[in-house]
Amino acid sequence: MQLSVRTSRHSYFIVVEEGALDRLGAELRRARPEAGRSVALVTDSHVGPLHAARAEAALRAADFAVTTQTVPAGENSKSLEQAGALCEAFAAAGLDRHSTIVALGGGVIGDLAGFAAAIYHRGLAVVQVPTTIVAQVDSAIGGKTGVNLAAGKNLVGAFHPPVLVLTDPALLATLPRRAWCEGFAEVIKHGVIADRAMVEELAAAEPRDLTALVSRNAAIKARIVQADEFERGERMHLNFGHTVGHAIEAAAGYGGLLHGEAVALGSVVAARLSVRNAALPAEDEALLHAALRRFELPLRLEGAAAEVGDDALLELLRRDKKFKDGRIRFVLTRRLGSAFVSEDVTEDDIRAALAAVR
Ligand SMILES: NC(=O)c1ccc[n+]([C@@H]2O[C@H](COP(=O)([O-])OP(=O)(O)OC[C@H]3O[C@@H](n4cnc5c(N)ncnc54)[C@H](O)[C@@H]3O)[C@@H](O)[C@H]2O)c1
Ligand SMILES: [Zn+2]
């Protein structure tokens, strides 16, 4: 399957196909006929040993000269230091503005390599080759790149849309079970805001046709970011479950809960708020729970995260930039498959809805 995404700068294709990794070089030639010979492949210490050799071979087969940069796996690599180190490595490898960066990995690599590509020589073409569910259905699409600061996640970044997203669902086969399940929090989120039937299907069974599922989700994300590239309207719907999710993630301490697990809990709270404030039917709330449960995602705060009180969560929420004068812009749903931004959610509403995860 192939989708096209229009941005304010250029249009690009998202190719979703099993085995697509072996066509990386040919697809890069097609997407960017003017590309110079040199390519930097950026990957991490988990993905590199599994999949980099095939990516390199595919690039060399199309007459590209490849240098590979491998950074330590994990969120800590999303730093200014690591972005700087990549830029130094690009310079040492002789990359110039005709060169191409290829990001082979999950969202960490996509965001980091995308950001390094955005700033090196004031912007080099980047190809995203996503290898996690999160990256294939979400982070590789839409052009947001960036790194973290001690003060918070994604505080430094740039809009830098890729010239190509090459998605090979077969690469997901090497994901550990927990990382696989985590990704479905974002898939279910897409269902909540745009595709009720998908939530029903996921609640009933794990997907059999991964390529179809990834394509369906890539299409949802692509449609939304194309309609609202700079997040002035509909793109905000993608934050469903993320407002409270981020607070829970921070409260649990990064590393305690995976991002998708925190988003699952945030979705449970957002659904309860939707029942209270937007008349979401209880059967829709139950359907969301069933889908999350299917992928072993948490519905209640457990362990260290359960020790965090409502006051502490509210305090974290108040730091959210969407919070103003005791009210917060909150993504709610009146019926699964649709979403809207409410301006009327109060702290008391949130306190009451937090009971859903206690
Ligand atoms: N730019 C955006 O729009 C956007 C959207 C959502 C999330 N994000 C960012 O994405 C990041 C999370 O992405 P993620 O969940 O993909 O995390 P990740 O990149 O850390 O990958 C998760 C783990 O899986 C490993 N891995 C990746 N692919 C694998 C494979 N095929 N086989 C085996 N192991 C594999 C990685 O090495 C890592 O250990 C966060 O930093 C988040 O802020 C960005
Ligand atoms: Zn997310």
PDB file of all heavy atoms in Angstrom, residues 215-236:
ATOM      1  N   SER A 215      -1.436  -0.153   7.811  1.00  0.00           N
ATOM      2  CA  SER A 215      -1.869   0.766   6.742  1.00  0.00           C
ATOM      3  C   SER A 215      -3.067   1.600   7.194  1.00  0.00           C
ATOM      4  O   SER A 215      -3.122   2.808   6.969  1.00  0.00           O
ATOM      5  CB  SER A 215      -2.282  -0.004   5.485  1.00  0.00           C
ATOM      6  OG  SER A 215      -1.227  -0.798   5.036  1.00  0.00           O
ATOM      7  N   ARG A 216      -4.009   0.935   7.817  1.00  0.00           N
ATOM      8  CA  ARG A 216      -5.228   1.620   8.268  1.00  0.00           C
ATOM      9  C   ARG A 216      -4.885   2.728   9.253  1.00  0.00           C
ATOM     10  O   ARG A 216      -5.448   3.825   9.212  1.00  0.00           O
ATOM     11  CB  ARG A 216      -6.104   0.561   8.937  1.00  0.00           C
ATOM     12  CG  ARG A 216      -7.501   0.951   9.311  1.00  0.00           C
ATOM     13  CD  ARG A 216      -8.197  -0.320   9.769  1.00  0.00           C
ATOM     14  NE  ARG A 216      -9.551  -0.142  10.216  1.00  0.00           N
ATOM     15  CZ  ARG A 216     -10.352  -1.150  10.570  1.00  0.00           C
ATOM     16  NH1 ARG A 216      -9.904  -2.402  10.497  1.00  0.00           N
ATOM     17  NH2 ARG A 216     -11.586  -0.929  10.969  1.00  0.00           N
ATOM     18  N   ASN A 217      -3.929   2.443  10.144  1.00  0.00           N
ATOM     19  CA  ASN A 217      -3.533   3.436  11.136  1.00  0.00           C
ATOM     20  C   ASN A 217      -2.667   4.542  10.548  1.00  0.00           C
ATOM     21  O   ASN A 217      -2.798   5.707  10.922  1.00  0.00           O
ATOM     22  CB  ASN A 217      -2.812   2.749  12.296  1.00  0.00           C
ATOM     23  CG  ASN A 217      -3.797   2.144  13.261  1.00  0.00           C
ATOM     24  OD1 ASN A 217      -4.304   2.829  14.128  1.00  0.00           O
ATOM     25  ND2 ASN A 217      -4.110   0.874  13.075  1.00  0.00           N
ATOM     26  N   ALA A 218      -1.771   4.152   9.642  1.00  0.00           N
ATOM     27  CA  ALA A 218      -0.949   5.174   8.987  1.00  0.00           C
ATOM     28  C   ALA A 218      -1.857   6.139   8.226  1.00  0.00           C
ATOM     29  O   ALA A 218      -1.621   7.352   8.198  1.00  0.00           O
ATOM     30  CB  ALA A 218       0.059   4.520   8.042  1.00  0.00           C
ATOM     31  N   ALA A 219      -2.935   5.603   7.654  1.00  0.00           N
ATOM     32  CA  ALA A 219      -3.865   6.452   6.893  1.00  0.00           C
ATOM     33  C   ALA A 219      -4.584   7.432   7.820  1.00  0.00           C
ATOM     34  O   ALA A 219      -4.798   8.597   7.462  1.00  0.00           O
ATOM     35  CB  ALA A 219      -4.869   5.581   6.143  1.00  0.00           C
ATOM     36  N   ILE A 220      -4.943   6.973   9.019  1.00  0.00           N
ATOM     37  CA  ILE A 220      -5.608   7.878   9.973  1.00  0.00           C
ATOM     38  C   ILE A 220      -4.668   9.011  10.361  1.00  0.00           C
ATOM     39  O   ILE A 220      -5.009  10.192  10.295  1.00  0.00           O
ATOM     40  CB  ILE A 220      -6.073   7.102  11.228  1.00  0.00           C
ATOM     41  CG1 ILE A 220      -7.214   6.143  10.862  1.00  0.00           C
ATOM     42  CG2 ILE A 220      -6.505   8.070  12.339  1.00  0.00           C
ATOM     43  CD1 ILE A 220      -7.595   5.159  11.978  1.00  0.00           C
ATOM     44  N   LYS A 221      -3.443   8.626  10.746  1.00  0.00           N
ATOM     45  CA  LYS A 221      -2.484   9.661  11.169  1.00  0.00           C
ATOM     46  C   LYS A 221      -2.183  10.605  10.012  1.00  0.00           C
ATOM     47  O   LYS A 221      -2.137  11.824  10.187  1.00  0.00           O
ATOM     48  CB  LYS A 221      -1.202   9.008  11.699  1.00  0.00           C
ATOM     49  CG  LYS A 221      -0.074   9.993  11.995  1.00  0.00           C
ATOM     50  CD  LYS A 221      -0.041  10.471  13.430  1.00  0.00           C
ATOM     51  CE  LYS A 221       0.911  11.658  13.619  1.00  0.00           C
ATOM     52  NZ  LYS A 221       1.998  11.433  14.537  1.00  0.00           N
ATOM     53  N   ALA A 222      -1.968  10.039   8.822  1.00  0.00           N
ATOM     54  CA  ALA A 222      -1.609  10.864   7.654  1.00  0.00           C
ATOM     55  C   ALA A 222      -2.730  11.847   7.325  1.00  0.00           C
ATOM     56  O   ALA A 222      -2.482  13.019   7.047  1.00  0.00           O
ATOM     57  CB  ALA A 222      -1.313   9.971   6.450  1.00  0.00           C
ATOM     58  N   ARG A 223      -3.970  11.371   7.383  1.00  0.00           N
ATOM     59  CA  ARG A 223      -5.089  12.260   7.054  1.00  0.00           C
ATOM     60  C   ARG A 223      -5.141  13.428   8.047  1.00  0.00           C
ATOM     61  O   ARG A 223      -5.303  14.587   7.665  1.00  0.00           O
ATOM     62  CB  ARG A 223      -6.411  11.498   7.091  1.00  0.00           C
ATOM     63  CG  ARG A 223      -7.616  12.379   6.742  1.00  0.00           C
ATOM     64  CD  ARG A 223      -8.941  11.663   6.883  1.00  0.00           C
ATOM     65  NE  ARG A 223      -9.249  11.212   8.232  1.00  0.00           N
ATOM     66  CZ  ARG A 223      -9.573  12.006   9.254  1.00  0.00           C
ATOM     67  NH1 ARG A 223      -9.610  13.319   9.090  1.00  0.00           N
ATOM     68  NH2 ARG A 223      -9.836  11.493  10.443  1.00  0.00           N
ATOM     69  N   ILE A 224      -4.960  13.110   9.322  1.00  0.00           N
ATOM     70  CA  ILE A 224      -5.080  14.160  10.338  1.00  0.00           C
ATOM     71  C   ILE A 224      -3.942  15.179  10.223  1.00  0.00           C
ATOM     72  O   ILE A 224      -4.180  16.386  10.270  1.00  0.00           O
ATOM     73  CB  ILE A 224      -5.141  13.536  11.749  1.00  0.00           C
ATOM     74  CG1 ILE A 224      -6.465  12.770  11.909  1.00  0.00           C
ATOM     75  CG2 ILE A 224      -5.011  14.610  12.825  1.00  0.00           C
ATOM     76  CD1 ILE A 224      -6.595  11.992  13.211  1.00  0.00           C
ATOM     77  N   VAL A 225      -2.704  14.695  10.045  1.00  0.00           N
ATOM     78  CA  VAL A 225      -1.601  15.671   9.999  1.00  0.00           C
ATOM     79  C   VAL A 225      -1.635  16.472   8.692  1.00  0.00           C
ATOM     80  O   VAL A 225      -1.207  17.621   8.649  1.00  0.00           O
ATOM     81  CB  VAL A 225      -0.200  15.035  10.201  1.00  0.00           C
ATOM     82  CG1 VAL A 225      -0.113  14.357  11.553  1.00  0.00           C
ATOM     83  CG2 VAL A 225       0.160  14.081   9.087  1.00  0.00           C
ATOM     84  N   GLN A 226      -2.182  15.879   7.649  1.00  0.00           N
ATOM     85  CA  GLN A 226      -2.278  16.626   6.394  1.00  0.00           C
ATOM     86  C   GLN A 226      -3.327  17.735   6.534  1.00  0.00           C
ATOM     87  O   GLN A 226      -3.147  18.845   6.041  1.00  0.00           O
ATOM     88  CB  GLN A 226      -2.647  15.689   5.251  1.00  0.00           C
ATOM     89  CG  GLN A 226      -2.717  16.371   3.905  1.00  0.00           C
ATOM     90  CD  GLN A 226      -2.817  15.369   2.772  1.00  0.00           C
ATOM     91  OE1 GLN A 226      -1.879  14.622   2.503  1.00  0.00           O
ATOM     92  NE2 GLN A 226      -3.962  15.328   2.130  1.00  0.00           N
ATOM     93  N   ALA A 227      -4.407  17.431   7.255  1.00  0.00           N
ATOM     94  CA  ALA A 227      -5.466  18.433   7.438  1.00  0.00           C
ATOM     95  C   ALA A 227      -5.011  19.545   8.378  1.00  0.00           C
ATOM     96  O   ALA A 227      -5.486  20.674   8.287  1.00  0.00           O
ATOM     97  CB  ALA A 227      -6.722  17.758   7.986  1.00  0.00           C
ATOM     98  N   ASP A 228      -4.104  19.231   9.302  1.00  0.00           N
ATOM     99  CA  ASP A 228      -3.759  20.195  10.354  1.00  0.00           C
ATOM    100  C   ASP A 228      -2.298  20.003  10.738  1.00  0.00           C
ATOM    101  O   ASP A 228      -1.984  19.548  11.829  1.00  0.00           O
ATOM    102  CB  ASP A 228      -4.677  19.956  11.572  1.00  0.00           C
ATOM    103  CG  ASP A 228      -4.357  20.879  12.743  1.00  0.00           C
ATOM    104  OD1 ASP A 228      -3.749  21.938  12.519  1.00  0.00           O
ATOM    105  OD2 ASP A 228      -4.722  20.523  13.878  1.00  0.00           O
ATOM    106  N   GLU A 229      -1.385  20.382   9.832  1.00  0.00           N
ATOM    107  CA  GLU A 229       0.036  20.086  10.013  1.00  0.00           C
ATOM    108  C   GLU A 229       0.581  20.654  11.328  1.00  0.00           C
ATOM    109  O   GLU A 229       1.368  19.999  12.012  1.00  0.00           O
ATOM    110  CB  GLU A 229       0.824  20.657   8.819  1.00  0.00           C
ATOM    111  CG  GLU A 229       2.285  20.238   8.801  1.00  0.00           C
ATOM    112  CD  GLU A 229       3.035  20.745   7.565  1.00  0.00           C
ATOM    113  OE1 GLU A 229       2.428  21.428   6.710  1.00  0.00           O
ATOM    114  OE2 GLU A 229       4.235  20.452   7.477  1.00  0.00           O
ATOM    115  N   PHE A 230       0.167  21.865  11.704  1.00  0.00           N
ATOM    116  CA  PHE A 230       0.807  22.524  12.840  1.00  0.00           C
ATOM    117  C   PHE A 230      -0.052  22.528  14.109  1.00  0.00           C
ATOM    118  O   PHE A 230       0.093  23.371  14.978  1.00  0.00           O
ATOM    119  CB  PHE A 230       1.240  23.941  12.445  1.00  0.00           C
ATOM    120  CG  PHE A 230       2.230  23.923  11.309  1.00  0.00           C
ATOM    121  CD1 PHE A 230       1.884  24.422  10.059  1.00  0.00           C
ATOM    122  CD2 PHE A 230       3.486  23.351  11.472  1.00  0.00           C
ATOM    123  CE1 PHE A 230       2.793  24.381   9.004  1.00  0.00           C
ATOM    124  CE2 PHE A 230       4.399  23.307  10.422  1.00  0.00           C
ATOM    125  CZ  PHE A 230       4.049  23.820   9.186  1.00  0.00           C
ATOM    126  N   GLU A 231      -0.981  21.564  14.208  1.00  0.00           N
ATOM    127  CA  GLU A 231      -1.737  21.320  15.438  1.00  0.00           C
ATOM    128  C   GLU A 231      -2.520  22.542  15.909  1.00  0.00           C
ATOM    129  O   GLU A 231      -2.385  22.997  17.035  1.00  0.00           O
ATOM    130  CB  GLU A 231      -0.798  20.817  16.546  1.00  0.00           C
ATOM    131  CG  GLU A 231      -1.564  20.086  17.635  1.00  0.00           C
ATOM    132  CD  GLU A 231      -0.669  19.284  18.582  1.00  0.00           C
ATOM    133  OE1 GLU A 231       0.413  18.851  18.162  1.00  0.00           O
ATOM    134  OE2 GLU A 231      -1.095  19.072  19.718  1.00  0.00           O
ATOM    135  N   ARG A 232      -3.363  23.065  15.016  1.00  0.00           N
ATOM    136  CA  ARG A 232      -4.236  24.173  15.429  1.00  0.00           C
ATOM    137  C   ARG A 232      -5.648  23.672  15.664  1.00  0.00           C
ATOM    138  O   ARG A 232      -6.481  24.346  16.222  1.00  0.00           O
ATOM    139  CB  ARG A 232      -4.233  25.259  14.352  1.00  0.00           C
ATOM    140  CG  ARG A 232      -2.851  25.874  14.281  1.00  0.00           C
ATOM    141  CD  ARG A 232      -2.743  27.001  13.280  1.00  0.00           C
ATOM    142  NE  ARG A 232      -1.367  27.451  13.243  1.00  0.00           N
ATOM    143  CZ  ARG A 232      -0.592  27.416  12.161  1.00  0.00           C
ATOM    144  NH1 ARG A 232      -1.075  26.980  11.012  1.00  0.00           N
ATOM    145  NH2 ARG A 232       0.655  27.830  12.221  1.00  0.00           N
ATOM    146  N   GLY A 233      -5.941  22.461  15.214  1.00  0.00           N
ATOM    147  CA  GLY A 233      -7.303  21.948  15.343  1.00  0.00           C
ATOM    148  C   GLY A 233      -7.317  20.439  15.514  1.00  0.00           C
ATOM    149  O   GLY A 233      -6.967  19.909  16.566  1.00  0.00           O
ATOM    150  N   GLU A 234      -7.673  19.726  14.423  1.00  0.00           N
ATOM    151  CA  GLU A 234      -7.927  18.293  14.542  1.00  0.00           C
ATOM    152  C   GLU A 234      -6.718  17.501  15.043  1.00  0.00           C
ATOM    153  O   GLU A 234      -6.874  16.466  15.695  1.00  0.00           O
ATOM    154  CB  GLU A 234      -8.392  17.721  13.182  1.00  0.00           C
ATOM    155  CG  GLU A 234      -8.961  16.308  13.322  1.00  0.00           C
ATOM    156  CD  GLU A 234      -9.321  15.649  11.995  1.00  0.00           C
ATOM    157  OE1 GLU A 234      -9.095  16.258  10.911  1.00  0.00           O
ATOM    158  OE2 GLU A 234      -9.812  14.510  12.040  1.00  0.00           O
ATOM    159  N   ARG A 235      -5.506  17.954  14.748  1.00  0.00           N
ATOM    160  CA  ARG A 235      -4.330  17.193  15.188  1.00  0.00           C
ATOM    161  C   ARG A 235      -4.319  17.033  16.710  1.00  0.00           C
ATOM    162  O   ARG A 235      -3.743  16.084  17.236  1.00  0.00           O
ATOM    163  CB  ARG A 235      -3.038  17.847  14.683  1.00  0.00           C
ATOM    164  CG  ARG A 235      -1.805  16.971  14.890  1.00  0.00           C
ATOM    165  CD  ARG A 235      -0.598  17.413  14.082  1.00  0.00           C
ATOM    166  NE  ARG A 235       0.532  16.514  14.315  1.00  0.00           N
ATOM    167  CZ  ARG A 235       1.649  16.490  13.612  1.00  0.00           C
ATOM    168  NH1 ARG A 235       1.822  17.312  12.602  1.00  0.00           N
ATOM    169  NH2 ARG A 235       2.614  15.630  13.895  1.00  0.00           N
ATOM    170  N   MET A 236      -4.960  17.977  17.413  1.00  0.00           N
ATOM    171  CA  MET A 236      -5.046  17.866  18.878  1.00  0.00           C
ATOM    172  C   MET A 236      -5.760  16.586  19.310  1.00  0.00           C
ATOM    173  O   MET A 236      -5.523  16.085  20.405  1.00  0.00           O
ATOM    174  CB  MET A 236      -5.791  19.067  19.455  1.00  0.00           C
ATOM    175  CG  MET A 236      -4.934  20.289  19.625  1.00  0.00           C
ATOM    176  SD  MET A 236      -5.853  21.548  20.526  1.00  0.00           S
ATOM    177  CE  MET A 236      -6.309  22.626  19.200  1.00  0.00           C
TER     178      MET A 236
END
